[in-house]
Amino acid sequence: MSRETEDVKSRARAAFLGLAIGDALGAPAEFMTSGEIGHKYGVLKELVGGGWLRLKPGQVTDDTDMALCLGRALVTSGGWSLKGIADNFAAWLKSRPIDVGDTCRRGIRNYMLHGTLETPANEWDAGNGAVMRMLPAALFTLGDEARMTECVVAQAHITHNHPLSDAACICFGRLIHLALLGHAKSRLRREVDGLIVRHENFRFDPYRGLATGYVVDTMQTVFHYFFRSRSFEECLVTTVNQGGDADTTGAIAGALAGAYYGEQEIPKRWLKKLDRKIGDEVPRLAERLVMMSPSRSERRELSR
Ligand code: MN
Ligand code: MN
């Protein structure tokens, strides 16, 4: 196994762990303002649990659950399977999860009732529910941008069909790919600048300080704190302390920061607190997905 492959696998593990940790860290602050968080926690920087969902410390929410549904479907199917993903979403919804976004619930229910794998375009679908769960699709398509674009948009459309959600998913997929391959922040920043040329809404400088479930606010928050941060921990702490949809901004920022800063940068105290089952499954799943990706076969050919 080449050192290069080991590095990509390690970054993939860190990305999925980062998603789960960001979710667990931010969830206690979900729907709070930054002022309310300051009043209650000072700076929220531990996996304390609680919040409106009354979570155990280290417990994750729908963001991680749905990403797991997606990733497991690809491993079980041995390849891309939109139906496999939708079936896992349906089984998850039937299991009465602690929280589900309205748009996600509606899309999954439509699949359960009518077998619909693509929800019609809808001006209300610009929530962050499609981008929050798509990391496994990005890991699985490493090495093939066109395939990544197809896959992340297809999984999005099970529940969300809106150009801004699609654009966020594609840009986030590219950022994950660049970070997994060890590119510098300046290169990632160019990718986001390209997104802003196409969709001005995503401009995040000056930062407006909104972290709602609207995908534009969510991505502005993630971009703002990711590009300012100098470590995994700083990125996640500053992101979730903005409040709003803090578990989801935390999950997205966590995935990106994990891929970018790498596994060794994740604070041990967070790894210890993270739900044990999640902490066991997520890195193994990330590794399998990246080993299924096109980058693997190319790499093998290159080394021959
Ligand atoms: Mn959540
Ligand atoms: Mn959320």
Side-chain angles (χ1 to χ4, degrees):
M1 188 82 53
S2 75
R3 207 190 315 151
E4 219 179 316
T5 308
E6 280 307 321
D7 185 59
V8 171
K9 279 165 59 179
S10 163
R11 287 175 188 273
R13 290 193 296 265
F16 216 151
L17 281 167
L19 181 130
I21 289 170
D23 182 4
L25 178 69
E30 194 181 27
F31 304 131
M32 291 169 78
T33 65
S34 55
E36 287 165 350
I37 296 168
H39 193 254
K40 179 156 185 193
Y41 300 106
V43 177
L44 177 59
K45 54 182 182 186
E46 305 302 331
L47 310 190
V48 292
W52 73 282
L53 292 170
R54 300 169 192 273
L55 300 163
K56 296 188 215 75
Q59 191 179 346
V60 298
T61 72
D62 55 341
D63 312 70
T64 306
D65 286 346
M66 292 192 86
L68 279 169
C69 285
L70 208 165
R72 286 175 191 146
L74 303 183
V75 168
T76 312
S77 313
W80 184 253
S81 168
L82 204 53
K83 191 177 173 304
I85 295 167
D87 283 337
N88 279 3
F89 286 168
W92 171 73
L93 189 60
K94 278 189 221 152
S95 78
R96 298 178 167 275
I98 46 165
D99 71 330
V100 190
D102 292 338
T103 309
C104 287
R105 182 192 300 277
R106 189 199 61 197
I108 298 167
R109 281 189 55 84
N110 274 337
Y111 172 71
M112 290 162 74
L113 294 170
H114 311 294
T116 323
L117 282 169
E118 179 165 27
T119 194
N122 183 324
E123 64 173 307
W124 307 112
D125 287 2
N128 56 21
V131 66
M132 77 182 189
R133 66 180 185 230
M134 59 155 273
L135 175 72
L139 299 177
F140 169 78
T141 54
L142 182 65
D144 188 340
E145 295 293 313
R147 186 83 181 118
M148 181 276 290
T149 300
E150 271 175 59
C151 291
V152 300
V153 170
Q155 71 79 28
H157 287 189
I158 299 175
T159 55
H160 293 62
N161 190 346
H162 190 284
L164 292 174
S165 166
D166 292 355
C169 287
I170 295 165
C171 178
F172 185 62
R174 289 196 182 139
L175 293 175
I176 291 290
H177 282 189
L178 290 168
L180 289 173
L181 298 173
H183 285 277
K185 249 186 204 171
S186 54
R187 176 68 190 85
L188 275 67
R189 179 62 205 251
R190 282 214 302 282
E191 203 56 49
V192 175
D193 289 341
L195 169 71
I196 293 168
V197 168
R198 292 185 296 279
H199 300 276
E200 254 242 280
N201 321 41
F202 289 101
R203 184 176 297 282
F204 62 100
D205 186 13
Y207 177 56
R208 297 179 307 146
L210 297 176
T212 70
Y214 177 42
V215 70
V216 168
D217 295 346
T218 302
M219 297 315 288
Q220 284 179 352
T221 299
V222 170
F223 296 151
H224 174 72
Y225 288 115
F226 172 72
F227 286 112
R228 285 160 69 98
S229 68
R230 276 150 306 161
S231 70
F232 177 86
E233 180 172 355
E234 184 191 347
C235 177
L236 268 66
V237 168
T238 53
T239 301
V240 304
N241 280 273
Q242 185 62 44
D245 198 352
D247 61 324
T248 305
T249 55
I252 298 170
L256 181 55
Y260 182 79
Y261 291 108
E263 215 172 11
Q264 64 294 338
E265 274 263 341
I266 302 178
K268 298 283 173 291
R269 68 181 202 281
W270 286 352
L271 287 170
K272 257 191 223 149
K273 263 280 153 63
L274 180 64
D275 181 306
R276 173 82 61 82
K277 268 197 199 146
I278 298 286
D280 283 345
E281 178 175 6
V282 142
R284 275 187 286 147
L285 188 51
E287 213 178 294
R288 290 193 65 176
L289 289 166
V290 104
M291 294 304 278
M292 289 167 82
S293 74
S295 74
R296 267 303 291 158
S297 41
E298 269 164 39
R299 218 173 282 277
R300 230 177 279 130
E301 272 159 34
L302 280 178
S303 61
R304 242 179 242 148

